[in-house]
Amino acid sequence: MTRAGSEGPVTRLVIVGGGSAGWMTAAAVSRLTDAGVTVTLVESDEIGTVGVGEATIPSLHDFNAALGIDEDAFVAATQGTFKLGIEFTDWGRVGDRYIHPFGKYGRSVLGLNFHQIWLRQHLLGGREADPGRIDDYAISIAAARRGRFAKPSTNPGAVLSGLNYAYHFDAGLYARFLRNHAGARGVVRIEGKIARVEQTPLDGYITAVVLEDGRRIEGDFFVDCSGFRALLLGEALGVPYRSWQHWLPCDSAIALPSASAAPAVPYTRSTAGSAGWRWRIPLQHRVGNGHVFSSAHVDPDAALERLLDGLDAPAIGDPRLLRFTAGRREKLWEKNCVAIGLAGGFIEPLESTSIHLIQSGIFRLMALFPDRGFSRIEINEYNRWLVEEYEHIRDFIILHYHATARGDSDFWNHCRTMDVPDSLAARIALWREKGRIFRAHNSLFTEESWIAVLLGQNVVPRAADPLAAALPIGETIRFLNHMRDIVARTAEAMPRHEDYIAQHCAAQPVPAQ
C-alpha cells in the first residue's frame, strides 16, 4: 500500500502559491526545518490572491496558539477586530434579523439542553409568560448588540464562560505576518511564475516545478496552494472538481473596501438581497464589503450597484470581481501532492469557513505527514476526513438558503423549493419533530450554530423534548427571567469593543495615500 521503490523521509517540501493558504501552511510546517526538511514556497507577486473574506471563526485560536503567536501582536499587525458572531438580515423573511453567536445559549438544567427549556416555554405561547427571543440568553449576542467585548471567563459557572470569539482582519496583512514568522524559521521563498510541472513517466508523481526563467525546484512532496487554478492537483494530476452549484447557486463575488463611518462593531453582517447576499466586515482601518451573487439571476453591473447602495461610507478602492463554483476536488490528496485552500475546494464565504478549512487541512496533514512511500492507507484517511468536513460545512451553508419563506425573486424561489442533500434533509426533519440536533462526528458547527440558524430563520419544531415538561412552569419562568437578566447585565458591564482594542491591540495608523 506504499509507493514501490521509494523509501526514507521527505526531505524537500515545496509549497506552490502564497496568500493565506500558502503562508499558513509554511508557518505550520516551518518546524520541520529543525528535522532537516527543506521547505520552499514558490509564489509570484504578479499573481494576486483572492482574499474574498476577512472574517474567521473561533478555531483560528488553535492555529495561532500552535504557532506560538501572541494574540495582541497578531490583531495589531493585521488591523484586526474581534468577532462575536454573524448577524443575518433578511434571510428567513425580509425584515428578519438574528445573530449566529460564537458561544452558548443559557445553561443546561438537569442534563436538558437550554434550547429545549426555552422552546417548551415558547410553544406555550400566550398561555404562559413569553420567554422572548432565544437571542436574549446568549452572552455573545448580548455583547455584540451593545458593541461590547471581553475575553471568556475560565470559571464554568460564570455567564462569560459561554462567550467565544473570532477575528476580522486584513487577509493580506495576515499572510505577510505569517511570511515573516515562517521566514524567521527557515522557510525559503522563491519569487517566480511556474511554467510547467514535471512528473515521473511511470506513475505520474510530481518531481519538480519549473519557472518561466528556467529555474527548477525539485521536491519529494508538494502542497498545492495555487488557488482556484489548482495547478498541481487539478491541472497536473487531473483530479476532477465536484460542483455543488445546484445547491449553492452563487458563483460570483464583488469585493470593495470602504472607509469606517463608526466604531467597529464586534460582528460580521450578512444581508440577503434578491439574488445573493452582501457582507460587511469592520477592521480597524477600514470596512471590508462584498456582494456574493448568482450570475444567473443578476448581472455584475447591477450587483455592484446594489453593493454601492448599501455602503455606510465612501468606497476607498476599486471593486474586484471574482468567479467561483462552489464544490471541492474529488480528492484533496493524490500521489505526492495535497491541496490546501481554494485549490482543494470552495464553499463560499457565508460562514467564514475558508480559513478554517485551510487550517484543518494543515492540522490533518501534520498528523499524517508522509514518508516517501506515500501510504495509500494514510492518504485515504486524509481524504476521508477532509471530504466529511467539507460536506458537513456544505450542508450548514445550504440550510441558510433553503430555510426561508422568501418568494420575492426567482433566486429565492429556487433555493426554497430545491431538493437538498439527504444528510441535511434528515437533520431538518429531526429538528422539526422535537427540536433535537446532534453534532456529527468531524463537524465544525456545534448544536448552537444549527439552533441559531434554524430558529433565526423561523424553523420552529412542533414540540419540545418531553423531558422539558417535567420542569415546573413557575420555576422555569423564574429561571428564564434570571438568565435573561444576568446575561443583559453582564453584557452592559463589559468594555466597549473599541476601548478594548485601544487598550490591548491598537494597530498603527495607515499612512494617507
Side-chain angles (χ1 to χ4, degrees):
M1 300 296 288
T2 60
R3 186 187 182 197
S6 295
E7 297 178 354
V10 166
T11 60
R12 300 170 299 175
L13 175 63
V14 178
I15 302 167
V16 172
S20 296
W23 286 112
M24 286 178 72
T25 303
V29 302
S30 63
R31 62 183 177 179
L32 296 176
T33 59
D34 293 335
V37 179
T38 299
V39 180
T40 305
L41 185 144
V42 183
E43 68 174 342
S44 171
D45 288 334
E46 295 180 33
I47 300 174
T49 57
V50 173
V52 171
E54 297 170 309
T56 64
I57 56 180
S59 58
L60 189 62
H61 297 164
D62 299 330
F63 183 81
N64 284 347
L67 297 182
I69 289 173
D70 178 79
E71 181 178 74
D72 289 346
F74 149 70
V75 173
T78 60
Q79 295 282 343
T81 61
F82 295 94
K83 175 182 176 182
L84 295 171
I86 307 172
E87 179 187 70
F88 289 92
T89 301
D90 297 339
W91 280 83
R93 294 182 296 249
V94 174
D96 283 355
R97 187 182 299 252
Y98 71 94
I99 286 181
H100 166 198
F102 296 150
K104 303 277 187 185
Y105 291 106
R107 70 169 184 264
S108 300
V109 175
L110 300 175
L112 192 64
N113 289 333
F114 176 81
H115 80 277
Q116 292 287 359
I117 301 169
W118 176 89
L119 180 60
R120 181 239 190 160
Q121 201 66 24
H122 174 77
L123 292 174
L124 287 173
R127 291 176 290 165
E128 303 290 347
D130 183 2
R133 290 169 58 90
I134 197 168
D135 290 19
D136 298 337
Y137 302 89
I139 183 61
S140 295
I141 296 177
R145 292 281 189 220
R146 292 165 172 80
R148 308 283 178 148
F149 179 77
K151 295 290 182 67
S153 171
T154 56
N155 176 4
V159 171
L160 270 177
S161 68
L163 179 144
N164 205 350
Y165 68 95
Y167 313 99
H168 305 123
F169 59 66
D170 184 310
L173 293 178
Y174 185 48
R176 185 185 306 170
F177 183 84
L178 293 177
R179 174 175 165 178
N180 293 335
H181 180 94
R185 288 157 179 79
V187 174
V188 177
R189 177 187 181 272
I190 293 179
E191 164 70 28
K193 284 186 179 180
I194 293 173
R196 70 179 189 275
V197 178
E198 293 185 353
Q199 298 169 261
T200 57
L202 292 179
D203 57 15
Y205 277 66
I206 298 171
T207 56
V209 292
V210 182
L211 306 187
E212 287 182 340
D213 61 8
R215 284 177 294 167
R216 187 171 178 273
I217 296 95
E218 296 182 348
D220 305 314
F221 186 41
F222 292 81
V223 183
D224 189 349
C225 299
S226 63
F228 290 128
R229 183 181 175 186
L231 176 64
L232 304 184
L233 192 76
E235 292 188 8
L237 295 178
V239 176
Y241 193 81
R242 176 175 293 181
S243 171
W244 290 333
Q245 195 166 2
H246 48 297
W247 292 315
L248 296 168
C250 290
D251 60 0
S252 306
I254 300 174
L256 180 66
S258 68
S260 300
V265 295
Y267 57 89
T268 306
R269 180 176 297 146
S270 169
T271 304
S274 61
W277 59 280
R278 302 187 308 278
W279 77 73
R280 183 183 186 278
I281 301 171
L283 308 180
Q284 291 190 43
H285 64 318
R286 62 175 173 82
V287 174
N289 308 277
H291 189 180
V292 177
F293 61 95
S294 164
S295 63
H297 296 89
V298 64
D299 64 69
D301 289 339
L304 175 59
E305 183 177 349
R306 294 174 191 180
L307 176 59
L308 291 169
D309 287 345
L311 296 183
D312 297 330
I316 56 174
D318 295 324
R320 291 189 301 135
L321 175 64
L322 306 161
R323 303 282 193 181
F324 60 87
T325 300
R328 62 165 175 83
R329 295 284 161 187
E330 293 284 351
K331 305 173 186 176
L332 284 300
W333 187 341
E334 174 70 354
K335 301 184 186 297
N336 63 335
C337 175
V338 63
I340 301 286
L342 300 178
F346 183 65
I347 298 175
E348 69 155 82
L350 183 61
E351 283 279 357
S352 310
T353 56
S354 290
I355 285 180
H356 168 80
L357 284 167
I358 292 170
Q359 72 181 63
S360 183
I362 292 169
F363 281 154
R364 191 56 40 180
L365 173 61
M366 297 304 289
L368 292 166
F369 198 80
D371 56 26
R372 283 186 289 159
F374 295 102
S375 163
R376 175 53 55 187
I377 292 172
E378 294 172 352
I379 291 174
N380 289 346
E381 174 63 13
Y382 182 93
N383 285 325
R384 182 194 65 79
W385 186 278
L386 267 294
V387 165
E388 274 188 12
E389 188 157 23
Y390 266 93
E391 292 184 351
H392 289 319
I393 293 172
R394 175 204 67 191
D395 284 3
F396 187 62
I397 301 302
I398 294 171
L399 173 68
H400 296 65
Y401 288 99
H402 184 61
T404 184
R406 290 190 60 163
D408 52 295
S409 68
D410 289 343
F411 175 83
W412 288 109
N413 282 328
H414 164 76
C415 294
R416 190 186 69 254
T417 59
M418 67 182 174
D419 291 331
V420 299
D422 292 344
S423 50
L424 175 58
R427 277 179 169 268
I428 295 173
L430 182 63
W431 168 263
R432 287 186 184 277
E433 284 298 301
K434 297 183 182 69
R436 288 168 172 144
I437 197 84
F438 301 102
R439 187 175 186 173
H441 168 70
N442 190 26
S443 175
L444 165 63
F445 292 104
T446 64
E447 291 92 339
E448 282 81 4
S449 294
W450 287 85
I451 291 164
V453 177
L454 286 161
L455 290 178
Q457 295 187 202
N458 312 301
V459 183
V460 180
R462 66 172 185 81
D465 188 323
L467 295 178
L471 301 176
I473 290 292
E475 290 184 19
T476 299
I477 292 171
R478 286 191 292 273
F479 167 72
L480 290 172
N481 287 340
H482 171 72
M483 180 59 63
R484 183 164 44 182
D485 178 63
I486 196 171
V487 165
R489 287 192 287 111
T490 300
E492 287 288 350
M494 293 167 65
R496 293 188 304 170
H497 182 224
E498 64 266 31
D499 292 342
Y500 185 94
I501 290 173
Q503 182 178 354
H504 296 279
C505 46
Q508 293 296 317
V510 176
Q513 299 296 320

